[in-house]
Amino acid sequence: MPVFAYQSLNSNASIDHGVGASKSQYFTRVTHDHSAKISSGGWMLSLPINPNLAPDIPLYGPAQLLPTAAQGYMNKGQHDDITFRDMVQRKALQTHQNLIRAFGTGFNLLVYGELDSGHSDWASMQQSAGRLLRVSSAEMACNSFSVHADNQRGMHRYLGEGQGWIAVESYGVVAVFVHVPNAIATSDNKTIDFYAAINKKILQAGAGGIDIIMGDTNQASNGFTPKVVTSALGQSFEDAHPQSTIQPYDSYQRDFQGTNSTGTKKYDVAVYNRQTVKVKEMIYLTQFTPVSSQSSYMTAAVTDHMGVAVRVEKV
């Protein structure tokens, strides 16, 4: 039963895919300041991490309850590229430890949207995110994908990519990771065509149809993505988390109504083919990572989208 996770960064349209394209972007700043404004005490659960070890080694110990750093902490000019990259890598290490505790096992695929891990600025991501399997390096940083995988090299097969998607077959499960362009995501017909074209390319690659779709859908309303995917593929797809309230695994007593910067829009989802797979467990992860601020530990946003992770079983 493979474990897949997707995390989007907040990157700009730069043709330079370095750290600067993802550092302190507008919606990341909105995410951080929104949390700092409503925060009253500790809320994020920070797990033990060790950057000197492989990211999928389980670490034991209690979680630390952290408050949000003050408003303005993620403003432009507050952090250099090295500091911000370290924050992203710390987030990746946190993700691995959360997956281990939530699912009882380590990751098989960890995919980043809006990140080019093949860029020299991001080379050290392999120590925190895992072995780099494939990069979809689009013209603009915001359209890139990076696929990090476990060390079972014969268990993963790249299937294809295009504008807004990349597909991998892993442990017999066909997974599509998406960042649906805004110009497509607001139209039923365009979104149906988007997913139908992806499925056609996957079939042409010699794989079965799509089992699961994960990522930033930019969907206009809850339930939109399973509806249009069902129409596009002629098979029944379901949201792995159909509930309207989101309680991220790495948060304590905090509810959200969405996965975006203000917790109001459910853009980030996992939808699965009910005929071919079962989702055994599913979690959301916040946009935040632990930081040291004024001699105390706090938490700060490194992106504007929550992460989503699932453990799936082929039917």
Side-chain angles (χ1 to χ4, degrees):
M1 289 187 285
V3 171
F4 303 148
Y6 181 91
Q7 176 67 67
S8 176
L9 292 190
N10 178 201
S11 301
N12 62 26
S14 174
I15 59 173
D16 183 345
H17 296 184
V19 171
S22 308
K23 183 179 66 177
S24 297
Q25 294 300 306
Y26 173 74
F27 284 111
T28 298
R29 304 196 306 270
V30 171
T31 305
H32 181 87
D33 290 345
H34 177 76
S35 179
K37 183 178 180 180
I38 66 174
S39 177
S40 57
W43 70 276
M44 183 199 165
L45 298 169
S46 173
L47 295 177
I49 57 173
N50 187 337
N52 297 315
L53 297 176
D56 57 345
I57 293 178
L59 299 176
Y60 300 95
Q64 186 176 7
L65 199 60
L66 301 181
T68 309
Q71 292 186 61
Y73 183 84
M74 291 307 298
N75 283 357
K76 286 187 177 293
Q78 294 297 309
H79 310 286
D80 60 24
D81 286 1
I82 293 174
T83 301
F84 183 77
R85 184 193 63 200
D86 289 347
M87 291 172 64
V88 174
Q89 292 185 175
R90 200 175 305 128
K91 174 65 173 173
L93 292 172
Q94 286 283 324
T95 296
H96 284 296
Q97 294 304 313
N98 277 295
L99 297 180
I100 291 167
R101 296 200 185 195
F103 302 139
T105 185
F107 82 116
N108 300 110
L109 289 180
L110 173 54
V111 179
Y112 283 89
E114 305 192 42
L115 173 66
D116 180 353
S117 292
H119 191 282
S120 58
D121 278 9
W122 294 107
S124 56
M125 278 295 289
Q126 294 196 59
Q127 279 88 58
S128 54
R131 176 176 65 94
L132 184 59
L133 177 70
R134 183 83 183 191
V135 170
S136 176
S137 183
E139 180 181 5
M140 297 183 294
C142 59
N143 291 329
S144 298
F145 292 92
S146 296
V147 181
H148 294 265
D150 62 24
N151 289 318
Q152 302 301 311
R153 296 177 183 270
M155 301 307 296
H156 311 287
R157 180 165 69 107
Y158 164 76
L159 296 176
E161 64 188 78
Q163 181 71 17
W165 67 277
I166 188 167
V168 179
E169 184 176 19
S170 181
Y171 294 85
V173 177
V174 175
V176 177
F177 302 92
V178 299
H179 177 195
V180 183
N182 287 316
I184 293 175
T186 56
S187 165
D188 286 36
N189 290 336
K190 289 180 180 179
T191 312
I192 289 170
D193 290 344
F194 174 78
Y195 288 113
I198 294 172
N199 196 53
K200 182 179 179 180
K201 289 187 178 181
I202 287 171
L203 293 173
Q204 290 172 343
I210 298 172
D211 292 312
I212 190 163
I213 297 169
M214 299 174 64
D216 175 7
T217 65
N218 282 309
Q219 63 180 3
S221 60
N222 294 353
F224 177 82
T225 299
K227 179 188 71 173
V228 294
V229 174
T230 296
S231 296
L233 275 61
Q235 292 182 296
S236 180
F237 277 73
E238 185 171 317
D239 190 339
H241 185 275
Q243 298 90 344
S244 59
T245 299
I246 296 170
Q247 297 175 311
Y249 189 80
D250 56 340
S251 69
Y252 175 70
Q253 292 187 347
R254 179 167 286 189
D255 297 338
F256 300 84
Q257 304 303 311
T259 66
N260 66 330
S261 56
T262 55
T264 55
K265 300 288 186 181
K266 190 179 175 182
Y267 291 147
D268 306 276
V269 300
V271 300
Y272 66 98
N273 188 329
R274 295 178 57 188
Q275 285 75 41
T276 61
V277 291
K278 293 180 180 178
V279 173
K280 305 299 289 185
E281 291 96 11
M282 184 271 191
I283 62 170
Y284 278 105
L285 295 169
T286 69
Q287 304 95 328
F288 290 77
T289 194
V291 296
S292 178
S293 178
Q294 298 178 345
S295 301
S296 62
Y297 285 102
M298 314 286 280
T299 187
V302 294
T303 183
D304 61 332
H305 286 268
M306 288 186 186
V308 55
V310 296
R311 188 165 69 99
V312 299
E313 179 182 20
K314 197 77 175 177
V315 173

Short mmCIF file of all heavy atoms in Angstrom, two decimals, residues 166-224:
data_model
loop_
_atom_site.label_atom_id
_atom_site.label_comp_id
_atom_site.label_asym_id
_atom_site.label_seq_id
_atom_site.Cartn_x
_atom_site.Cartn_y
_atom_site.Cartn_z
N ILE A 166 1.99 15.91 -13.98
CA ILE A 166 3.01 14.90 -14.18
C ILE A 166 2.45 13.59 -13.64
O ILE A 166 1.69 13.59 -12.65
CB ILE A 166 4.34 15.27 -13.49
CG1 ILE A 166 5.46 14.28 -13.89
CG2 ILE A 166 4.20 15.34 -11.98
CD1 ILE A 166 6.85 14.77 -13.50
N ALA A 167 2.75 12.47 -14.28
CA ALA A 167 2.17 11.18 -13.92
C ALA A 167 3.27 10.15 -13.68
O ALA A 167 4.25 10.08 -14.42
CB ALA A 167 1.22 10.68 -15.00
N VAL A 168 3.07 9.34 -12.63
CA VAL A 168 4.01 8.29 -12.26
C VAL A 168 3.21 7.05 -11.87
O VAL A 168 2.19 7.16 -11.16
CB VAL A 168 4.91 8.71 -11.08
CG1 VAL A 168 5.87 7.59 -10.69
CG2 VAL A 168 5.68 9.98 -11.41
N GLU A 169 3.65 5.89 -12.33
CA GLU A 169 3.10 4.64 -11.83
C GLU A 169 4.01 4.14 -10.72
O GLU A 169 5.20 3.94 -10.93
CB GLU A 169 3.00 3.59 -12.93
CG GLU A 169 2.34 2.30 -12.47
CD GLU A 169 2.17 1.29 -13.58
OE1 GLU A 169 2.85 1.41 -14.62
OE2 GLU A 169 1.34 0.38 -13.42
N SER A 170 3.47 3.96 -9.53
CA SER A 170 4.27 3.59 -8.37
C SER A 170 3.60 2.43 -7.64
O SER A 170 2.43 2.53 -7.26
CB SER A 170 4.41 4.80 -7.43
OG SER A 170 5.20 4.48 -6.31
N TYR A 171 4.33 1.32 -7.52
CA TYR A 171 3.80 0.12 -6.87
C TYR A 171 2.46 -0.30 -7.51
O TYR A 171 1.54 -0.73 -6.83
CB TYR A 171 3.64 0.34 -5.37
CG TYR A 171 4.97 0.51 -4.66
CD1 TYR A 171 5.58 1.76 -4.60
CD2 TYR A 171 5.62 -0.57 -4.08
CE1 TYR A 171 6.80 1.93 -3.97
CE2 TYR A 171 6.85 -0.40 -3.45
CZ TYR A 171 7.43 0.84 -3.40
OH TYR A 171 8.66 1.01 -2.78
N GLY A 172 2.38 -0.14 -8.82
CA GLY A 172 1.20 -0.55 -9.56
C GLY A 172 0.05 0.44 -9.54
O GLY A 172 -0.99 0.18 -10.14
N VAL A 173 0.22 1.58 -8.88
CA VAL A 173 -0.82 2.61 -8.79
C VAL A 173 -0.45 3.77 -9.71
O VAL A 173 0.66 4.31 -9.63
CB VAL A 173 -1.00 3.11 -7.35
CG1 VAL A 173 -2.04 4.22 -7.29
CG2 VAL A 173 -1.39 1.96 -6.43
N VAL A 174 -1.37 4.16 -10.59
CA VAL A 174 -1.13 5.28 -11.50
C VAL A 174 -1.58 6.57 -10.81
O VAL A 174 -2.77 6.77 -10.57
CB VAL A 174 -1.88 5.09 -12.83
CG1 VAL A 174 -1.72 6.33 -13.71
CG2 VAL A 174 -1.36 3.85 -13.55
N ALA A 175 -0.60 7.42 -10.51
CA ALA A 175 -0.86 8.66 -9.79
C ALA A 175 -0.56 9.85 -10.68
O ALA A 175 0.49 9.90 -11.33
CB ALA A 175 -0.02 8.72 -8.51
N VAL A 176 -1.48 10.81 -10.71
CA VAL A 176 -1.30 12.05 -11.45
C VAL A 176 -1.26 13.20 -10.46
O VAL A 176 -2.15 13.34 -9.62
CB VAL A 176 -2.43 12.28 -12.47
CG1 VAL A 176 -2.26 13.61 -13.18
CG2 VAL A 176 -2.48 11.14 -13.48
N PHE A 177 -0.22 14.02 -10.56
CA PHE A 177 -0.04 15.16 -9.67
C PHE A 177 -0.26 16.42 -10.50
O PHE A 177 0.34 16.58 -11.57
CB PHE A 177 1.34 15.12 -9.04
CG PHE A 177 1.59 13.85 -8.27
CD1 PHE A 177 2.18 12.76 -8.89
CD2 PHE A 177 1.18 13.73 -6.96
CE1 PHE A 177 2.39 11.58 -8.20
CE2 PHE A 177 1.37 12.55 -6.25
CZ PHE A 177 1.99 11.47 -6.87
N VAL A 178 -1.12 17.31 -10.00
CA VAL A 178 -1.57 18.43 -10.82
C VAL A 178 -1.39 19.78 -10.16
O VAL A 178 -1.38 19.91 -8.93
CB VAL A 178 -3.07 18.27 -11.20
CG1 VAL A 178 -3.30 17.01 -12.01
CG2 VAL A 178 -3.97 18.29 -9.96
N HIS A 179 -1.21 20.77 -11.00
CA HIS A 179 -1.36 22.18 -10.65
C HIS A 179 -2.19 22.76 -11.79
O HIS A 179 -1.64 23.24 -12.79
CB HIS A 179 -0.01 22.87 -10.51
CG HIS A 179 -0.10 24.32 -10.22
ND1 HIS A 179 0.96 25.20 -10.35
CD2 HIS A 179 -1.15 25.09 -9.78
CE1 HIS A 179 0.58 26.42 -10.04
NE2 HIS A 179 -0.69 26.39 -9.68
N VAL A 180 -3.50 22.67 -11.67
CA VAL A 180 -4.39 23.00 -12.77
C VAL A 180 -4.34 24.51 -13.04
O VAL A 180 -4.56 25.31 -12.12
CB VAL A 180 -5.84 22.57 -12.46
CG1 VAL A 180 -6.75 22.87 -13.65
CG2 VAL A 180 -5.90 21.08 -12.11
N PRO A 181 -4.04 24.91 -14.26
CA PRO A 181 -3.99 26.35 -14.57
C PRO A 181 -5.32 27.04 -14.27
O PRO A 181 -6.40 26.48 -14.49
CB PRO A 181 -3.69 26.36 -16.08
CG PRO A 181 -3.01 25.05 -16.34
CD PRO A 181 -3.66 24.07 -15.41
N ASN A 182 -5.24 28.26 -13.77
CA ASN A 182 -6.44 29.01 -13.42
C ASN A 182 -7.38 29.19 -14.61
O ASN A 182 -8.60 29.18 -14.46
CB ASN A 182 -6.06 30.39 -12.87
CG ASN A 182 -5.48 30.31 -11.47
OD1 ASN A 182 -6.00 29.61 -10.63
ND2 ASN A 182 -4.40 31.03 -11.24
N ALA A 183 -6.81 29.33 -15.81
CA ALA A 183 -7.63 29.53 -17.00
C ALA A 183 -8.46 28.30 -17.34
O ALA A 183 -9.45 28.40 -18.08
CB ALA A 183 -6.74 29.90 -18.18
N ILE A 184 -8.07 27.15 -16.82
CA ILE A 184 -8.80 25.90 -17.04
C ILE A 184 -9.73 25.58 -15.88
O ILE A 184 -10.86 25.14 -16.06
CB ILE A 184 -7.81 24.74 -17.28
CG1 ILE A 184 -7.06 24.94 -18.60
CG2 ILE A 184 -8.52 23.39 -17.25
CD1 ILE A 184 -5.97 23.93 -18.86
N ALA A 185 -9.25 25.83 -14.67
CA ALA A 185 -9.91 25.33 -13.46
C ALA A 185 -11.30 25.90 -13.22
O ALA A 185 -12.10 25.32 -12.48
CB ALA A 185 -9.03 25.62 -12.24
N THR A 186 -11.63 27.03 -13.83
CA THR A 186 -12.93 27.65 -13.60
C THR A 186 -13.99 27.21 -14.61
O THR A 186 -15.14 27.63 -14.50
CB THR A 186 -12.80 29.19 -13.66
OG1 THR A 186 -12.22 29.57 -14.91
CG2 THR A 186 -11.90 29.69 -12.52
N SER A 187 -13.62 26.37 -15.56
CA SER A 187 -14.54 25.92 -16.59
C SER A 187 -14.75 24.42 -16.52
O SER A 187 -13.78 23.66 -16.57
CB SER A 187 -14.00 26.30 -17.97
OG SER A 187 -14.68 25.61 -19.00
N ASP A 188 -16.01 23.98 -16.43
CA ASP A 188 -16.30 22.55 -16.43
C ASP A 188 -15.73 21.89 -17.68
O ASP A 188 -15.03 20.87 -17.60
CB ASP A 188 -17.82 22.31 -16.38
CG ASP A 188 -18.41 22.58 -15.02
OD1 ASP A 188 -17.95 23.51 -14.34
OD2 ASP A 188 -19.34 21.85 -14.63
N ASN A 189 -16.05 22.42 -18.85
CA ASN A 189 -15.65 21.79 -20.10
C ASN A 189 -14.13 21.75 -20.27
O ASN A 189 -13.57 20.73 -20.70
CB ASN A 189 -16.29 22.49 -21.29
CG ASN A 189 -17.80 22.27 -21.37
OD1 ASN A 189 -18.31 21.28 -20.84
ND2 ASN A 189 -18.50 23.19 -22.00
N LYS A 190 -13.47 22.86 -19.95
CA LYS A 190 -12.02 22.89 -20.08
C LYS A 190 -11.34 21.91 -19.12
O LYS A 190 -10.34 21.27 -19.46
CB LYS A 190 -11.49 24.31 -19.84
CG LYS A 190 -11.82 25.29 -20.95
CD LYS A 190 -11.25 26.67 -20.64
CE LYS A 190 -11.57 27.66 -21.75
NZ LYS A 190 -11.05 29.02 -21.44
N THR A 191 -11.88 21.79 -17.91
CA THR A 191 -11.29 20.89 -16.92
C THR A 191 -11.54 19.43 -17.31
O THR A 191 -10.66 18.58 -17.14
CB THR A 191 -11.84 21.17 -15.52
OG1 THR A 191 -11.78 22.58 -15.25
CG2 THR A 191 -11.05 20.44 -14.46
N ILE A 192 -12.72 19.14 -17.84
CA ILE A 192 -12.99 17.79 -18.34
C ILE A 192 -12.01 17.44 -19.45
O ILE A 192 -11.43 16.34 -19.46
CB ILE A 192 -14.46 17.69 -18.83
CG1 ILE A 192 -15.41 17.72 -17.63
CG2 ILE A 192 -14.67 16.42 -19.64
CD1 ILE A 192 -16.87 17.87 -18.02
N ASP A 193 -11.80 18.36 -20.39
CA ASP A 193 -10.85 18.12 -21.48
C ASP A 193 -9.42 17.93 -20.94
O ASP A 193 -8.65 17.11 -21.46
CB ASP A 193 -10.88 19.28 -22.47
CG ASP A 193 -12.18 19.34 -23.27
OD1 ASP A 193 -12.93 18.34 -23.29
OD2 ASP A 193 -12.45 20.41 -23.87
N PHE A 194 -9.08 18.71 -19.92
CA PHE A 194 -7.75 18.63 -19.30
C PHE A 194 -7.48 17.21 -18.79
O PHE A 194 -6.45 16.60 -19.10
CB PHE A 194 -7.68 19.66 -18.17
CG PHE A 194 -6.43 19.62 -17.33
CD1 PHE A 194 -5.25 20.18 -17.80
CD2 PHE A 194 -6.46 19.08 -16.05
CE1 PHE A 194 -4.10 20.16 -17.02
CE2 PHE A 194 -5.32 19.07 -15.26
CZ PHE A 194 -4.14 19.61 -15.74
N TYR A 195 -8.42 16.67 -18.01
CA TYR A 195 -8.21 15.34 -17.43
C TYR A 195 -8.35 14.23 -18.48
O TYR A 195 -7.64 13.22 -18.41
CB TYR A 195 -9.17 15.11 -16.27
CG TYR A 195 -8.80 15.92 -15.04
CD1 TYR A 195 -9.61 16.95 -14.57
CD2 TYR A 195 -7.62 15.65 -14.34
CE1 TYR A 195 -9.27 17.69 -13.45
CE2 TYR A 195 -7.27 16.39 -13.23
CZ TYR A 195 -8.10 17.41 -12.78
OH TYR A 195 -7.75 18.14 -11.67
N ALA A 196 -9.22 14.40 -19.44
CA ALA A 196 -9.37 13.39 -20.50
C ALA A 196 -8.08 13.28 -21.31
O ALA A 196 -7.66 12.16 -21.68
CB ALA A 196 -10.55 13.75 -21.41
N ALA A 197 -7.45 14.41 -21.60
CA ALA A 197 -6.20 14.40 -22.36
C ALA A 197 -5.07 13.73 -21.57
O ALA A 197 -4.25 12.99 -22.14
CB ALA A 197 -5.80 15.83 -22.73
N ILE A 198 -5.03 13.97 -20.26
CA ILE A 198 -4.03 13.31 -19.43
C ILE A 198 -4.22 11.80 -19.46
O ILE A 198 -3.27 11.04 -19.65
CB ILE A 198 -4.11 13.83 -17.98
CG1 ILE A 198 -3.73 15.30 -17.89
CG2 ILE A 198 -3.21 13.00 -17.06
CD1 ILE A 198 -3.96 15.93 -16.54
N ASN A 199 -5.45 11.36 -19.27
CA ASN A 199 -5.72 9.92 -19.26
C ASN A 199 -5.35 9.27 -20.60
O ASN A 199 -4.81 8.16 -20.64
CB ASN A 199 -7.18 9.67 -18.93
CG ASN A 199 -7.45 8.23 -18.52
OD1 ASN A 199 -6.79 7.71 -17.62
ND2 ASN A 199 -8.39 7.58 -19.18
N LYS A 200 -5.62 9.97 -21.69
CA LYS A 200 -5.27 9.44 -23.01
C LYS A 200 -3.77 9.23 -23.14
O LYS A 200 -3.31 8.18 -23.64
CB LYS A 200 -5.77 10.40 -24.09
CG LYS A 200 -5.49 9.92 -25.51
CD LYS A 200 -6.03 10.92 -26.54
CE LYS A 200 -5.74 10.45 -27.96
NZ LYS A 200 -6.27 11.43 -28.97
N LYS A 201 -2.98 10.19 -22.66
CA LYS A 201 -1.53 10.06 -22.74
C LYS A 201 -1.02 8.93 -21.85
O LYS A 201 -0.06 8.23 -22.21
CB LYS A 201 -0.87 11.38 -22.35
CG LYS A 201 -1.05 12.48 -23.39
CD LYS A 201 -0.24 13.72 -23.05
CE LYS A 201 -0.39 14.78 -24.13
NZ LYS A 201 0.41 16.00 -23.84
N ILE A 202 -1.65 8.73 -20.70
CA ILE A 202 -1.24 7.65 -19.82
C ILE A 202 -1.54 6.30 -20.45
O ILE A 202 -0.73 5.37 -20.39
CB ILE A 202 -1.95 7.81 -18.45
CG1 ILE A 202 -1.33 8.98 -17.68
CG2 ILE A 202 -1.85 6.52 -17.63
CD1 ILE A 202 -2.07 9.36 -16.44
N LEU A 203 -2.68 6.17 -21.06
CA LEU A 203 -3.02 4.92 -21.76
C LEU A 203 -2.05 4.67 -22.92
O LEU A 203 -1.63 3.53 -23.16
CB LEU A 203 -4.46 4.98 -22.26
CG LEU A 203 -5.55 5.00 -21.18
CD1 LEU A 203 -6.92 5.23 -21.82
CD2 LEU A 203 -5.55 3.71 -20.37
N GLN A 204 -1.68 5.72 -23.61
CA GLN A 204 -0.72 5.59 -24.71
C GLN A 204 0.65 5.17 -24.20
O GLN A 204 1.43 4.54 -24.95
CB GLN A 204 -0.62 6.90 -25.48
CG GLN A 204 -1.85 7.25 -26.29
CD GLN A 204 -1.80 8.65 -26.88
OE1 GLN A 204 -1.01 9.49 -26.47
NE2 GLN A 204 -2.65 8.90 -27.88
N ALA A 205 0.96 5.48 -22.94
CA ALA A 205 2.24 5.08 -22.35
C ALA A 205 2.23 3.62 -21.92
O ALA A 205 3.25 3.12 -21.42
CB ALA A 205 2.56 5.98 -21.17
N GLY A 206 1.10 2.94 -22.09
CA GLY A 206 1.03 1.52 -21.77
C GLY A 206 0.61 1.21 -20.35
O GLY A 206 0.72 0.07 -19.91
N ALA A 207 0.14 2.22 -19.63
CA ALA A 207 -0.33 2.00 -18.26
C ALA A 207 -1.84 1.89 -18.25
O ALA A 207 -2.52 2.22 -19.23
CB ALA A 207 0.11 3.16 -17.37
N GLY A 208 -2.39 1.42 -17.15
CA GLY A 208 -3.83 1.44 -16.98
C GLY A 208 -4.29 2.88 -16.78
O GLY A 208 -3.49 3.82 -16.80
N GLY A 209 -5.58 3.06 -16.62
CA GLY A 209 -6.11 4.40 -16.41
C GLY A 209 -5.69 4.98 -15.08
O GLY A 209 -5.02 4.34 -14.26
N ILE A 210 -6.10 6.22 -14.84
CA ILE A 210 -5.72 6.95 -13.64
C ILE A 210 -6.38 6.33 -12.40
O ILE A 210 -7.57 6.08 -12.37
CB ILE A 210 -6.12 8.43 -13.75
CG1 ILE A 210 -5.39 9.09 -14.93
CG2 ILE A 210 -5.83 9.17 -12.45
CD1 ILE A 210 -5.89 10.49 -15.24
N ASP A 211 -5.56 6.10 -11.37
CA ASP A 211 -6.07 5.61 -10.09
C ASP A 211 -6.32 6.73 -9.09
O ASP A 211 -7.29 6.70 -8.34
CB ASP A 211 -5.08 4.60 -9.47
CG ASP A 211 -4.97 3.31 -10.26
OD1 ASP A 211 -6.02 2.75 -10.61
OD2 ASP A 211 -3.84 2.88 -10.53
N ILE A 212 -5.42 7.72 -9.08
CA ILE A 212 -5.55 8.80 -8.10
C ILE A 212 -4.96 10.08 -8.67
O ILE A 212 -4.00 10.05 -9.44
CB ILE A 212 -4.86 8.42 -6.76
CG1 ILE A 212 -5.21 9.44 -5.66
CG2 ILE A 212 -3.35 8.26 -6.92
CD1 ILE A 212 -4.92 8.94 -4.26
N ILE A 213 -5.60 11.19 -8.34
CA ILE A 213 -5.15 12.53 -8.74
C ILE A 213 -4.96 13.35 -7.47
O ILE A 213 -5.85 13.40 -6.62
CB ILE A 213 -6.19 13.21 -9.66
CG1 ILE A 213 -6.35 12.41 -10.96
CG2 ILE A 213 -5.79 14.65 -9.96
CD1 ILE A 213 -7.53 12.85 -11.80
N MET A 214 -3.80 14.00 -7.35
CA MET A 214 -3.49 14.77 -6.16
C MET A 214 -2.88 16.11 -6.55
O MET A 214 -2.17 16.21 -7.54
CB MET A 214 -2.48 14.02 -5.28
CG MET A 214 -2.96 12.69 -4.78
SD MET A 214 -1.66 11.77 -3.90
CE MET A 214 -1.39 12.86 -2.48
N GLY A 215 -3.18 17.14 -5.77
CA GLY A 215 -2.50 18.39 -5.97
C GLY A 215 -3.38 19.61 -5.87
O GLY A 215 -4.48 19.57 -5.31
N ASP A 216 -2.86 20.69 -6.44
CA ASP A 216 -3.51 22.00 -6.41
C ASP A 216 -4.44 22.09 -7.62
O ASP A 216 -4.00 22.34 -8.74
CB ASP A 216 -2.45 23.09 -6.43
CG ASP A 216 -3.03 24.49 -6.53
OD1 ASP A 216 -4.27 24.63 -6.44
OD2 ASP A 216 -2.24 25.44 -6.70
N THR A 217 -5.72 21.91 -7.38
CA THR A 217 -6.69 21.89 -8.48
C THR A 217 -7.25 23.26 -8.82
O THR A 217 -7.87 23.42 -9.87
CB THR A 217 -7.88 20.98 -8.12
OG1 THR A 217 -8.58 21.56 -7.00
CG2 THR A 217 -7.40 19.58 -7.77
N ASN A 218 -7.08 24.23 -7.91
CA ASN A 218 -7.70 25.56 -8.09
C ASN A 218 -9.20 25.44 -8.34
O ASN A 218 -9.80 26.28 -9.02
CB ASN A 218 -7.03 26.32 -9.24
CG ASN A 218 -5.70 26.93 -8.85
OD1 ASN A 218 -5.60 27.62 -7.84
ND2 ASN A 218 -4.66 26.65 -9.62
N GLN A 219 -9.82 24.40 -7.79
CA GLN A 219 -11.24 24.16 -8.06
C GLN A 219 -12.11 25.28 -7.47
O GLN A 219 -11.82 25.83 -6.41
CB GLN A 219 -11.67 22.80 -7.51
CG GLN A 219 -11.57 22.64 -6.01
CD GLN A 219 -12.02 21.26 -5.55
OE1 GLN A 219 -12.35 20.38 -6.33
NE2 GLN A 219 -12.03 21.07 -4.23
N ALA A 220 -13.18 25.57 -8.18
CA ALA A 220 -14.04 26.68 -7.79
C ALA A 220 -14.90 26.36 -6.58
O ALA A 220 -15.31 27.26 -5.85
CB ALA A 220 -14.93 27.07 -8.97
N SER A 221 -15.17 25.07 -6.35
CA SER A 221 -16.02 24.70 -5.22
C SER A 221 -15.70 23.27 -4.80
O SER A 221 -15.15 22.48 -5.58
CB SER A 221 -17.51 24.79 -5.61
OG SER A 221 -17.78 23.93 -6.71
N ASN A 222 -16.03 22.95 -3.55
CA ASN A 222 -15.82 21.59 -3.05
C ASN A 222 -16.63 20.61 -3.90
O ASN A 222 -17.78 20.87 -4.26
CB ASN A 222 -16.26 21.49 -1.59
CG ASN A 222 -15.39 22.33 -0.67
OD1 ASN A 222 -14.39 22.90 -1.08
ND2 ASN A 222 -15.78 22.39 0.60
N GLY A 223 -16.01 19.49 -4.23
CA GLY A 223 -16.69 18.47 -5.02
C GLY A 223 -16.55 18.65 -6.52
O GLY A 223 -16.97 17.78 -7.29
N PHE A 224 -15.97 19.77 -6.95
CA PHE A 224 -15.85 20.04 -8.38
C PHE A 224 -14.93 19.03 -9.07
O PHE A 224 -15.26 18.50 -10.14
CB PHE A 224 -15.32 21.45 -8.60
CG PHE A 224 -15.09 21.82 -10.03
CD1 PHE A 224 -16.13 22.24 -10.84
CD2 PHE A 224 -13.81 21.75 -10.59
CE1 PHE A 224 -15.92 22.57 -12.17
CE2 PHE A 224 -13.59 22.08 -11.91
CZ PHE A 224 -14.64 22.50 -12.71
#
